């Protein structure tokens, strides 16, 4: 993982100096930058309240959350972490969307948060190099997509092999891509559901970690069905993160096995499986 981040940084000396300037200005973790840093590359925002200076428990699995929108899944993860249900910490939240509610949620919980504007980059590679610099700087070990409306590219996948999660509102492989809830209603299925999976280069094609069915009721609209799907999502996503934080997942081919409570995979250095996420 480190090698991936290092090489992404090497590719972009300019970007590195921009980030160095941003961090130095604020003094590193717990820095206080208000407003907006506009550079030739991208717009970065980072806001923390005056009394937030704690780096948190560094022994916990460090999550980096990418979100484009309302961030209800982000909120569920933050709440689970704060309750102590999941041995992890949210190290940083990054959004590709200015004004995303997800950034507001991060701010409310004093979590470092950035808006990185993809339009300010000439390529997906340079955009993802910016993301990697932020994730690497915050010590992120597991990337969690929470309503992140972009296909993850090679840069992120190489730097975080098997360490990027996504949640999707259908029982994959049914109804991948955007509008999964509408697709399910339109098709007339009686059961749909939620999938948490490892991200690969495809669109919602990676190995499945957890799935749960949700009944489609007579008269359901996208809104009513989504409401029930969200209830499941907000339970399932923290649960999947907990399994990874506890080293209880084993990936063979595209099959993910879950070890019983109390058991854990020991060390698996160099493995591209989520079991290596903490090693
Ligand atoms: C969720 O329904 C998730 O399944 C999909 O995007 C939506 C994000 O919702 N990937 P939110 O931003 O977490 O509220």
């Amino acid at each position: 993982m480190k090698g991936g981040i290092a090489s992404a940084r090497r590719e972009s000396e300019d970007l590195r100096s921009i980030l160095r300037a941003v961090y130095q200005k604020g003094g590193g973790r717990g820095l206080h930058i208000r407003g907006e840093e506009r550079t030739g590359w991208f717009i970065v925002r980072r806001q923390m309240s005056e009394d937030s200076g704690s780096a948190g428990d560094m022994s916990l699995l460090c999550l980096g959350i990418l979100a484009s929108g309302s961030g209800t899944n982000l909120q569920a993860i933050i709440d689970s972490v704060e309750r102590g249900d999941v041995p992890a910490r949210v190290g940083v939240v990054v959004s590709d969307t200015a004004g995303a509610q997800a950034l507001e949620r991060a701010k409310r919980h004093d979590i470092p948060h950035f808006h990185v504007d993809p339009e300010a980059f000439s390529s997906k590679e340079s955009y993802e190099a910016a993301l990697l610099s932020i994730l690497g700087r915050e010590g992120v070990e597991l990337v969690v997509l929470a309503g992140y409306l972009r296909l993850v590219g090679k840069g992120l996948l190489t730097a975080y092999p098997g360490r990027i999660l996504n949640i999707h509102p259908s029982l994959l492989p049914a109804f991948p891509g955007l509008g999964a809830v509408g697709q399910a209603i339109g098709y007339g299925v009686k059961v749909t559901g939620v999938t948490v999976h490892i991200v690969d280069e495809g669109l919602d094609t990676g190995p499945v970690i957890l799935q749960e069915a949700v009944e489609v009721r007579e008269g359901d609209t996208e809104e009513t069905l989504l409401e029930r799907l969200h209830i499941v999502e907000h339970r399932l996503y923290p649960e999947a993160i907990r399994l990874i934080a506890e080293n209880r997942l084993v990936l063979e081919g595209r099959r993910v096995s879950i070890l019983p409570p109390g058991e854990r995979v020991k060390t698996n250095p160099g493995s591209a499986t989520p079991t290596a996420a903490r090693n």
Side-chain angles (χ1 to χ4, degrees):
M1 182 178 91
K2 299 270 184 226
I5 288 171
S7 62
R9 281 181 168 175
R10 266 197 305 279
E11 278 168 28
S12 177
E13 192 56 43
D14 285 352
L15 174 64
R16 216 161 53 148
S17 51
I18 289 165
L19 282 167
R20 200 181 301 122
V22 169
Y23 280 110
Q24 278 170 358
K25 187 174 171 188
R29 185 172 288 283
L31 83 173
H32 307 291
I33 293 179
R34 298 199 181 279
E36 200 170 86
E37 296 287 334
R38 185 179 279 276
T39 74
W41 283 75
F42 63 101
I43 298 162
V44 60
R45 284 202 186 103
R46 179 172 173 146
Q47 295 145 329
M48 297 179 76
S49 72
E50 292 301 330
D51 56 357
S52 73
S54 161
D57 182 345
M58 303 306 281
S59 69
L60 298 170
L61 179 70
C62 182
L63 311 177
I65 306 210
L66 305 187
S68 302
S70 65
T72 64
N73 279 282
L74 164 68
Q75 188 67 55
I77 293 165
I78 293 171
D79 293 345
S80 306
V81 162
E82 288 187 352
R83 280 197 306 268
D85 293 348
V86 178
R89 65 191 176 91
V90 181
V92 66
V93 173
V94 184
S95 181
D96 57 348
T97 309
Q101 216 190 318
L103 291 172
E104 285 303 313
R105 293 178 192 272
K107 183 179 176 184
R108 276 206 293 278
H109 290 264
D110 286 337
I111 296 167
H113 51 286
F114 294 86
H115 166 227
V116 181
D117 180 6
E119 298 303 316
F121 294 84
S122 58
S123 67
K124 185 159 189 144
E125 287 70 31
S126 55
Y127 164 65
E128 289 205 342
L131 296 186
L132 283 173
S133 294
I134 293 168
L135 299 174
R137 175 62 179 74
E138 300 293 342
V140 167
E141 299 164 283
L142 182 72
V143 178
V144 178
L145 310 186
Y148 179 65
L149 299 176
R150 282 170 196 278
L151 203 55
V152 169
K154 216 170 160 192
L156 277 170
L157 286 168
T158 305
Y160 287 91
R163 295 171 192 175
I164 305 177
L165 299 190
N166 185 39
I167 189 160
H168 187 76
S170 78
L171 293 176
L172 290 170
F175 312 125
L178 289 176
V181 182
Q183 287 183 58
I185 290 177
Y187 196 93
V189 293
K190 303 297 183 193
V191 175
T192 184
V194 171
T195 304
V196 179
H197 66 93
I198 297 169
V199 173
D200 64 11
E201 59 289 337
L203 179 62
D204 301 323
T205 52
V208 171
I209 297 176
L210 292 175
Q211 279 186 313
E212 189 169 313
V214 172
E215 180 194 3
V216 181
R217 295 183 188 151
E218 289 298 326
D220 252 340
T221 62
E222 281 191 42
E223 289 68 34
T224 58
L225 180 53
L226 185 61
E227 206 173 304
R228 296 203 306 287
L229 287 164
H230 263 152
I231 292 168
V232 174
E233 288 191 341
H234 298 164
R235 177 166 39 78
L236 225 55
Y237 221 0
E239 170 65 9
I241 295 165
R242 186 169 66 82
L243 292 171
I244 291 173
E246 293 176 351
N247 273 348
R248 286 174 53 204
L249 297 186
V250 181
L251 177 68
E252 289 170 282
R254 58 167 297 121
R255 289 174 62 94
V256 177
S257 311
I258 301 172
L259 299 179
E263 282 186 33
R264 58 181 52 220
V265 177
K266 301 229 167 43
T267 53
N268 199 2
S271 162
T273 75
T275 56
R278 303 200 65 191
N279 300 322

